[in-house]
Amino acid sequence: MQINAGFDITYQCQQPTPMLLALSVHPSRMPDVTGPHRIWFDPPIGASEYRDDFGNICHRIVAPPGPLRISTQFMVSDPGTHDAVMPQAPQHAIQDLPDDALVFLLGSRYCETDRLTELAWSLFGQTEEGWPRVQAICDYVHKRIEFGYHHADPTRSAFAGHADGRGVCRDFAHLAITLCRCMNIPARYCTGYLGDIGIPPVDAPMDFSAWFEAYLGGHWHTFDARHNTPRIGRILMARGRDATDVALSTIFGPSILAGFNVITEEVA
């Protein structure tokens, strides 16, 4: 299938303001992009591209005073299959994990393993290791947190999300990631596009989505505690320890988000 995707975002700045942007399609999905993939700036400004420590494609800019429109639109070829389910995927002993997976066992800005370890072991210590344990964590988080865009709070951590019992997709991901790490399962945060493909249309504005990946059986596997069901048509943008590493924009100065529109739709 072909998926039409893109965004149109406008920031309003009072002065020249440096920004780091993580708005590109991830290198792993770039071969699936048909035609050009370019981020446009209006007014035109310079942008330098770099790869961060997690392999994401990022851009550095200095936003001028006034409005800055940032946009892109592209097509992606997708197999149209659901997220893979591998119920036999085993959990690794820590000593058997690859070196680059170890950082995804550690606490991070939004994933306070030190505050949730006791809870995690009380809830999941008796569950079957591997895929069933991660799925049990997703089931718990899915029931624990009430989704709502009006619940968004950019400062909310996994611990606070568990206490509040409400949030948006990033809160589901942060809590599930933290509980996985507490149970010695490497887990990393993912952000990208996820359209209403293969499900009844959702009467809500389109947005970027957050999910996570857990390392089981020698591979990273997709899990989504918010939807808690395999989905079609994910387009990965970036991976990291938590939302800090993959923020759409990291802004070094005052600014206002003046416009935000995301497109993700199957092309008939």
Side-chain angles (χ1 to χ4, degrees):
M1 71 167 56
Q2 294 290 311
I3 300 174
N4 177 38
F7 61 80
D8 194 334
I9 301 172
T10 300
Y11 290 102
Q12 181 85 29
C13 298
Q14 302 174 5
Q15 60 197 33
T17 304
M19 295 184 181
L20 306 180
L21 306 176
L23 289 167
S24 176
V25 170
H26 192 267
S28 63
R29 289 303 312 258
M30 253 335 156
D32 301 323
V33 175
T34 57
H37 178 276
R38 181 178 178 184
I39 296 176
W40 299 90
F41 299 93
D42 183 18
I45 60 171
S48 59
E49 181 180 304
Y50 70 98
R51 298 287 182 99
D52 68 11
D53 290 343
F54 301 99
N56 305 311
I57 299 174
C58 304
H59 292 83
R60 298 178 63 173
I61 66 169
V62 177
L68 174 64
R69 182 182 179 189
I70 308 171
S71 62
T72 190
Q73 190 164 356
F74 56 93
M75 298 286 288
V76 167
S77 295
D78 190 88
T81 55
H82 289 83
D83 301 325
V85 177
M86 306 289 289
Q88 304 306 316
Q91 182 172 335
H92 295 272
I94 292 178
Q95 60 269 27
D96 296 330
L97 289 169
D99 296 341
D100 58 3
L102 296 176
V103 67
F104 299 108
L105 287 173
L106 307 180
S108 55
R109 163 67 179 86
Y110 292 104
C111 300
E112 315 103 313
T113 51
D114 55 338
R115 304 189 73 179
L116 288 170
T117 294
E118 185 175 349
L119 172 70
W121 280 94
S122 70
L123 291 172
F124 309 109
Q126 301 304 312
T127 57
E128 183 182 349
E129 291 188 351
W131 189 284
R133 178 166 285 175
V134 179
Q135 186 57 58
I137 289 171
C138 288
D139 293 343
Y140 177 81
V141 174
H142 184 73
K143 294 177 182 177
R144 177 75 185 187
I145 298 180
E146 174 191 350
F147 178 84
Y149 289 111
H150 57 290
H151 297 322
D153 180 351
T155 67
R156 183 185 290 121
S157 67
F159 182 82
H162 185 269
D164 294 346
R166 60 181 184 268
V168 292
C169 54
R170 61 178 265 160
D171 299 298
F172 287 79
H174 283 148
L175 181 54
I177 287 168
T178 306
L179 295 173
C180 284
R181 292 177 185 173
C182 289
M183 301 305 296
N184 300 329
I185 300 169
R188 61 190 184 187
Y189 186 97
C190 300
T191 185
Y193 300 85
L194 180 61
D196 302 329
I197 299 173
I199 63 170
V202 176
D203 185 19
M206 184 58 64
D207 197 355
F208 293 112
S209 187
W211 60 90
F212 76 101
E213 295 173 345
Y215 190 80
L216 301 167
H219 300 281
W220 289 98
H221 299 274
T222 297
F223 290 89
D224 187 337
R226 179 203 162 183
H227 298 103
N228 206 27
T229 188
R231 294 288 297 271
I232 299 171
R234 295 184 196 273
I235 305 173
L236 179 68
M237 294 168 63
R239 299 185 181 107
R241 293 167 298 181
D242 58 30
T244 302
D245 295 327
V246 300
L248 301 176
S249 59
T250 302
I251 304 173
F252 300 92
S255 69
I256 296 172
L257 180 62
F260 186 87
N261 184 48
V262 178
I263 298 170
T264 316
E265 57 190 7
E266 180 183 0
V267 178

